Amino acid sequence: MSALQAINNEAQCNMPNGDAIEPLFQVSDITRLFGPDKGCQAVSFELYPGEVLGIVGESGSGKSTLLNVLSGRCQPDAGTIHYRQSDGVLTDLYASSEARRRTLLRTEWGFVEQNPRDGLRMTVSAGANIGERLMAQGVRNYGTLRTESLRWLHQVEIDASRIDDLPRTFSGGMQQRLQIARNLVSHPSLVFMDEPTGGLDVSVQARLLDMLRALVRDLGLAVIIVTHDLAVARLLADRLMVMRRSRVVESGLTDQILDDPQHPYTQLLVSSVLQP
Ligand SMILES: Nc1ncnc2c1ncn2[C@@H]1O[C@H](COP(=O)(O)OP(=O)(O)OP(=O)(O)O)[C@@H](O)[C@H]1O
Ligand SMILES: [Mg+2]
């Protein structure tokens, strides 16, 4: 049994009413290669509701490729991904239509891009950016959309007076917080994030991380987050997968991996961060 399987088994505890907690997401032997060792290969894991999984590794190790496959945005060469819909039905992601995968990313899932400009609609107001996903879920009442937009602006610490402003008038940190609000308003169960603090100043990063951590905890979100910043991984992730040259070389609980790395590559990664 792998360490990850052992952890998963441990996580498979019983609810007070006796129901076993089922995994939200099951990934089996996923491969997507653009060339030898370029991309991701033979990746398997399970994710449970409310769990935060960090994917770490050097540039080019395949983190974004893996995240794109996991989130339904890039067809794998091999392997399967099953996810549990909000109605409890277990579904094969790539056996579903592309339209279904797109809908999923706008409703039950979210995707926070590194560059907020890729995840926001820059030509419509902040309020409309937040309301859009609610409309995709069938909310049509203007008052409800406005109230929810205001509530979410407040949640991500953007002043209510900015609701009708275009995102391009916002700072980078505000744009990223708006992108997070836009993703969370539909109450997703699973959110993918690719270097969400990557392009920001250090002080802005710290504030965003604090906010993200509180939101993830309060909403019980499951998150798969790509980062090459081990401090970000330490702060947010329950578990880590370490990637090198398209393969997962080590996985397990975050504290275990960062405090007692087993694979030589992880040891190097951890020690290089500790050096000034
Ligand atoms: N669409 C593509 N076509 C060809 N090669 C690609 C494509 N996407 C990624 N690659 C290659 O696959 C490898 C993994 O890239 P990927 O972007 O997944 O790495 P990463 O770990 O996210 O890196 P970074 O930390 O720099 O974002 C790289 O060698 C990259 O050049
Ligand atoms: Mg990347």
Side-chain angles (χ1 to χ4, degrees):
M1 190 190 295
S2 74
L4 198 56
Q5 277 170 328
I7 292 159
N8 281 334
N9 288 349
E10 219 169 88
Q12 209 161 15
C13 53
N14 289 327
M15 297 288 277
N17 62 8
D19 293 342
I21 300 174
E22 306 273 11
L24 189 64
F25 203 65
Q26 293 174 306
V27 177
S28 179
D29 229 357
I30 281 293
T31 293
R32 172 71 169 120
L33 288 175
F34 298 105
D37 297 340
K38 288 192 188 317
C40 60
Q41 55 187 317
V43 179
S44 301
F45 66 92
E46 290 183 341
L47 187 77
Y48 284 79
E51 249 192 322
V52 179
L53 175 70
I55 303 174
V56 299
E58 67 197 356
S59 183
S61 55
K63 305 181 297 293
S64 296
T65 304
L66 177 60
L67 197 72
N68 287 332
V69 173
L70 297 178
S71 58
R73 312 201 303 180
C74 171
Q75 181 103 31
D77 303 329
T80 56
I81 297 172
H82 286 89
Y83 71 97
R84 198 164 299 280
Q85 300 179 167
S86 54
D87 60 10
V89 175
L90 198 66
T91 308
D92 183 337
L93 184 62
Y94 284 98
S96 309
S97 68
E98 200 188 327
R100 171 68 193 137
R101 289 198 294 276
R102 272 203 304 270
T103 305
L104 196 64
L105 265 181
R106 285 202 310 265
T107 54
E108 291 182 31
W109 291 359
F111 197 109
V112 176
E113 309 269 0
Q114 172 171 355
N115 186 340
R117 284 185 292 279
D118 296 332
L120 289 172
R121 283 184 58 202
M122 300 304 281
T123 52
V124 302
S125 70
N129 263 286
I130 298 177
E132 196 173 47
R133 282 174 65 112
L134 289 175
M135 290 176 74
Q137 288 183 319
V139 178
R140 290 285 177 271
N141 182 286
Y142 178 77
T144 309
L145 291 170
R146 189 92 180 162
T147 308
E148 274 297 289
S149 295
L150 281 169
R151 197 172 73 78
W152 271 97
L153 285 178
H154 179 72
Q155 285 262 9
V156 297
E157 298 165 18
I158 296 175
D159 198 274
S161 66
R162 305 300 301 266
I163 189 167
D164 295 318
D165 294 349
L166 293 178
R168 72 172 155 74
T169 66
F170 290 7
S171 70
M174 278 169 76
Q175 286 181 355
Q176 197 55 302
R177 283 182 272 132
L178 181 63
Q179 191 192 182
I180 289 164
R182 171 179 161 89
N183 271 277
L184 299 190
V185 66
S186 61
H187 297 286
S189 54
L190 175 59
V191 180
F192 302 90
M193 301 183 185
D194 195 347
E195 305 272 11
T197 58
L200 303 172
D201 292 345
V202 173
S203 63
V204 179
Q205 267 191 29
R207 186 164 159 224
L208 187 76
L209 274 175
D210 271 350
M211 204 195 73
L212 261 181
R213 188 157 73 150
L215 284 171
V216 166
R217 188 187 51 217
D218 295 349
L219 302 173
L221 278 180
V223 176
I224 302 182
I225 180 171
V226 162
T227 179
H228 64 263
D229 186 337
L230 296 186
V232 171
R234 167 91 78 183
L235 203 65
L236 290 179
D238 303 309
R239 284 196 286 140
L240 291 184
M241 291 198 314
V242 183
M243 289 189 75
R244 185 192 188 206
R245 292 192 199 144
S246 76
R247 294 175 192 275
V248 174
V249 294
E250 186 165 356
S251 61
L253 294 175
T254 301
D255 289 347
Q256 250 166 34
I257 290 207
L258 296 184
D259 296 339
D260 186 21
Q262 299 298 309
H263 191 281
Y265 174 70
T266 318
Q267 290 168 352
L268 196 70
L269 204 66
V270 171
S271 66
S272 62
V273 167
L274 293 178
Q275 269 149 35

